[in-house]
Amino acid sequence: MLVRSYLKWSSQAPAPERAEAAAIMAHAYLHAQLSPEDRYEAEAALTLALDDPSARVRRTLAEILAAEPGAPPHVVAALAADQSDVGALVLARSPLLRDEQLVDFAAVGDTLAQVAIAMRRALSAPVAAALAETACLEALIVLVRNMGAEIADFSFDRMVARMGSDGAFREALLERPGLPVAIRQQLIGAVAQSLSRFVSARAWVPERRAERLVQEARESATLALVVECDGPDLAMLVAHLRDVGLLTPGLILRALLCGDRRLIVATLAELAQVPFNRAAGIVYERGSSAFTALYRRARMPAALEPAFVAAIASIARRVLARDGAPLRLNRPIIADVLHAVRAMNGADAAALTAMLYRFDAEAARAEARALTADIMASAEPVTMADIAAGLQIQQAPAPEPVAVAPEAAMAEPDAADLLVEPAEIALVPEPGSRLDGDGLAIPFDPDEYALRRAA
């Protein structure tokens, strides 16, 4: 009887009243003590409401049933497949939707549907993987900011590959706690590629120069990750850099020139397939002959071995602070390596020397910036007089004012003093003209002299 009465009434009722009736029926199905027959008919009425031509009716059902575990599963599934503003309510909240359904909706849904799935309170790794593969930028930003989403490393890889060039996505991803260090390094690469394209497109610097600047910036950013890594994370970072072709001798040498030996230890352990502690013992033992054997077993460039040996020895002679700050090139270490490299010959030595001088210039600029920052943070305002005193500059005394009698200062000039005899004037016309009898400039032959007017 309930379904028959609903059908007869709903065929003539306006949409607002039908929406109200659908809400009453949904609440009754969820909370009222209904007999099995009435419950069956109430479920049938809710099912029939899915065909209502008014989206207002279906949206009302979605608002009530979305978060309810006791809602009819087939009604929830149908609402999830409805138009976006209806389906998103269910996709974001319903506990009845299985992962297989969510994966399907992620593949075929529009932006609103994908965002709704990405913001679910608990999201499994398979659904996150489906979004990583197919979702739009807006949905991926929501996904990486969802702390309830379980995201596998390969899903991070895929998202970075697809959207790594977008600044908003990179910012959202970097804000996610526990982001794998390899993914953070990938973001550095994405930033570098974006920067390279931007600079090259505007032709600000030659293309090869732009590539070098981007490479140096990427290496510096990668070393910033090294500071934050412990043993396992550092090994993971080195393995990732090796897999993507970024574990270069230049990067390792830069780390040494910053006074950090951990990267070369992890690199030698990875490439030579020896335990980390054994590699560390060899590297940290100053003057160890075993270093050469380990270096060559790792198949590091033979031409760069003197530079690495000199850098390691220079670090061992110094006490370097480790305060967790980003690694910064150390000019004394660079000077020691330069001294060792000067004894080398050949094209490799020339290229290495040029690179070391670039590092030295970069280090000098970094030191100047750091000094400027310290001064600006603590300095008191000064005047030019303070600066002159500090530099021992003797300023010339200002000239004393000349006393002028009041009557002389106020006297009007005599008109006779303003008269000048014509003989005292020698007029020189502009090039290309001469003076006529009245003293006016008129055109003249270019070969003529400039004429003077005589008294």
Side-chain angles (χ1 to χ4, degrees), residues 13-20 52 54 56-57:
E17 294 183 10
R18 298 201 306 273
E20 184 178 355
D52 196 292
S54 173
R56 180 172 181 175
V57 175

Side-chain angles (χ1 to χ4, degrees), residues 62 66 76 79-95 97-98 101-124 127-128 131 135-146 148-149:
V76 169
L79 290 172
D82 209 314
Q83 65 187 51
S84 296
D85 61 333
V86 175
L89 297 171
V90 177
L91 291 172
R93 299 163 60 191
S94 178
L97 294 176
R98 299 175 60 86
Q101 294 172 287
L102 293 172
V103 168
D104 183 60
F105 285 126
V108 301
D110 59 8
T111 297
L112 191 57
Q114 292 175 343
V115 168
I117 296 172
M119 66 188 298
R120 288 176 66 91
R121 182 172 298 178
L123 198 65
S124 67
V127 180
L131 289 171
C136 61
L137 174 63
E138 292 85 350
L140 293 185
I141 291 176
V142 172
L143 174 63
V144 298
R145 286 178 172 162
N146 182 358

Side-chain angles (χ1 to χ4, degrees), residues 27 100 105 108 164-165 178 194 222 302 334 349 354 363 389 435:
H27 284 297
E100 297 83 356
F105 285 126
V108 301
S165 60
S194 299
T222 300
I334 296 174
L435 300 177

Side-chain angles (χ1 to χ4, degrees), residues 363-408:
R365 295 178 67 177
E367 287 181 3
R369 294 190 192 103
L371 176 62
T372 301
D374 291 341
I375 292 174
M376 296 300 292
S378 60
E380 296 293 333
V382 296
T383 64
M384 288 301 298
D386 297 328
I387 296 174
L391 297 176
Q392 297 182 347
I393 296 174
Q394 182 64 41
Q395 293 184 329
E400 296 183 1
V402 178
V404 180
E407 49 280 354

Side-chain angles (χ1 to χ4, degrees), residues 282-347:
I282 293 174
V283 170
Y284 282 73
E285 183 182 348
R286 182 181 174 185
S288 171
S289 59
F291 176 79
T292 297
L294 180 62
Y295 185 91
R296 294 176 181 177
R297 179 175 176 179
R299 297 186 178 181
M300 296 284 285
L304 299 183
E305 184 178 346
F308 282 99
V309 171
I312 292 172
S314 180
I315 294 171
R317 290 194 299 268
R318 290 177 169 81
V319 178
L320 302 175
R322 283 289 175 267
D323 53 3
L327 295 179
R328 194 170 71 186
L329 290 167
N330 186 296
R331 297 190 74 190
I333 298 176
I334 296 174
D336 289 343
V337 177
L338 268 171
H339 179 75
V341 169
R342 288 192 185 100
M344 299 169 55
N345 296 313

Side-chain angles (χ1 to χ4, degrees), residues 90-311:
V90 177
L91 291 172
R93 299 163 60 191
S94 178
L96 300 178
L97 294 176
R98 299 175 60 86
D99 284 354
E100 297 83 356
Q101 294 172 287
L102 293 172
V103 168
D104 183 60
F105 285 126
V108 301
D110 59 8
T111 297
L112 191 57
Q114 292 175 343
V115 168
I117 296 172
M119 66 188 298
R120 288 176 66 91
R121 182 172 298 178
L123 198 65
S124 67
V127 180
L131 289 171
E133 187 66 35
T134 62
C136 61
L137 174 63
E138 292 85 350
L140 293 185
I141 291 176
V142 172
L143 174 63
V144 298
R145 286 178 172 162
N146 182 358
M147 296 300 104
E150 181 183 350
I151 306 176
D153 287 356
F154 71 87
S155 296
F156 283 122
D157 290 339
R158 185 56 182 152
M159 286 189 285
V160 172
R162 292 182 59 218
M163 301 297 180
S165 60
D166 184 83
F169 171 76
R170 294 195 301 266
E171 182 179 355
L173 192 53
L174 287 172
E175 291 174 355
R176 186 177 178 89
L179 187 68
V181 66
I183 303 303
R184 297 175 66 184
Q185 201 287 324
Q186 280 186 263
L187 290 177
I188 292 172
V191 173
Q193 291 176 0
S194 299
L195 179 60
S196 179
R197 288 193 295 266
F198 180 80
V199 172
S200 299
R202 283 153 180 78
W204 287 345
V205 295
E207 184 176 355
R208 292 178 64 84
R209 172 64 175 157
E211 291 175 357
R212 176 180 290 175
L213 291 173
V214 169
Q215 177 184 353
E216 291 174 353
R218 177 165 53 192
E219 288 179 352
S220 297
T222 300
L223 292 186
L225 295 180
V226 172
V227 176
E228 304 175 12
C229 292
D230 54 14
D233 281 344
L234 184 58
M236 185 183 302
L237 175 61
V238 168
H240 167 74
L241 291 173
R242 181 187 185 185
D243 291 341
V244 298
L246 296 177
L247 189 62
T248 62
L251 174 65
I252 303 167
L253 182 58
R254 178 185 280 269
L256 282 173
L257 296 177
C258 292
D260 189 277
R261 290 174 287 187
R262 294 182 306 148
L263 183 59
I264 192 172
V265 169
T267 299
L268 293 175
E270 170 73 17
L271 298 181
Q273 293 296 297
V274 299
F276 183 91
N277 291 338
R278 180 184 175 191
I282 293 174
V283 170
Y284 282 73
E285 183 182 348
R286 182 181 174 185
S288 171
S289 59
F291 176 79
T292 297
L294 180 62
Y295 185 91
R296 294 176 181 177
R297 179 175 176 179
R299 297 186 178 181
M300 296 284 285
L304 299 183
E305 184 178 346
F308 282 99
V309 171

